[in-house]
Amino acid sequence: MRRVSWRAATTARRCFVRGDGSVRHIVEFDPDTGEMVRDYGGQGYEEGSSWTRGQTCGLIELAKLHEGRQQKLYLDAALKLLRALADHRLNWDENEDNLLTKCTGAYHDKEHEFSIIYGDYYFLEALMKLTGQELFIW
């Protein structure tokens, strides 16, 4: 089981996490070879868009399962994503309820940018995990 989990995590890191730290939202794999076929935009702006908020919790969870170099790879990827969110999407407006901006349920809808509570949740959950104050309510 550990070998299967390791291979799945390694494949996910290789195929989902890009060199700049952003993460693909949806990736299609060839069922026979296991190789990546292409990525999809999902709810994002276009093909290749990412869903950074949720994918940081997965990377942190993967880091907990490993030690040394592998653990560092997962944590570094998660930190890179969180820093990108903090630098580019953190909402400091005290008159608004949402923490992160540029959220979308479907980018190409007429009114596509709105607060998404689960996006804020995953962002906070990741921060709490990194500080040892883990919040696990799902």
Side-chain angles (χ1 to χ4, degrees):
M1 184 64 154
R2 182 177 170 95
R3 182 183 297 169
V4 172
S5 298
W6 177 259
R7 288 184 66 206
T10 301
T11 299
R13 186 181 70 236
R14 179 175 46 86
C15 296
F16 281 85
V17 182
R18 299 181 188 105
D20 67 358
S22 64
V23 181
R24 293 174 176 88
H25 188 176
I26 301 169
V27 174
E28 177 184 347
F29 293 92
D30 181 303
D32 296 321
T33 66
E35 292 302 310
M36 180 179 161
V37 174
R38 65 176 289 215
D39 64 347
Y40 296 88
Q43 298 168 324
Y45 175 70
E46 62 187 10
E47 287 188 22
S49 293
S50 63
W51 194 65
T52 307
R53 293 154 177 89
Q55 293 173 336
T56 54
C57 308
L59 290 166
I60 294 168
E61 288 300 312
L62 288 169
K64 290 179 186 179
L65 300 174
H66 302 284
E67 296 176 359
R69 182 175 121 83
Q70 294 302 320
Q71 182 180 53
K72 182 172 174 18
L73 284 171
Y74 290 118
L75 280 177
D76 286 351
L79 288 170
K80 200 171 191 181
L81 294 172
L82 289 169
R83 283 188 190 110
L85 286 171
D87 290 346
H88 302 287
R89 298 292 183 247
L90 201 55
N91 179 18
W92 293 98
D93 187 342
E94 294 178 9
N95 297 312
E96 295 181 19
D97 292 332
N98 58 304
L99 296 175
L100 299 170
T101 63
K102 304 292 184 188
C103 299
T104 180
Y107 185 84
H108 297 285
D109 284 353
K110 184 179 178 182
E111 295 182 23
H112 63 273
E113 290 183 10
F114 46 83
S115 176
I116 296 179
I117 190 67
Y118 58 84
D120 286 353
Y121 167 82
Y122 284 115
F123 180 71
L124 284 175
E125 182 186 44
L127 294 176
M128 292 180 77
K129 284 180 183 204
L130 290 173
T131 62
Q133 302 173 44
E134 189 156 343
L135 171 69
F136 190 77
I137 60 173
W138 52 272

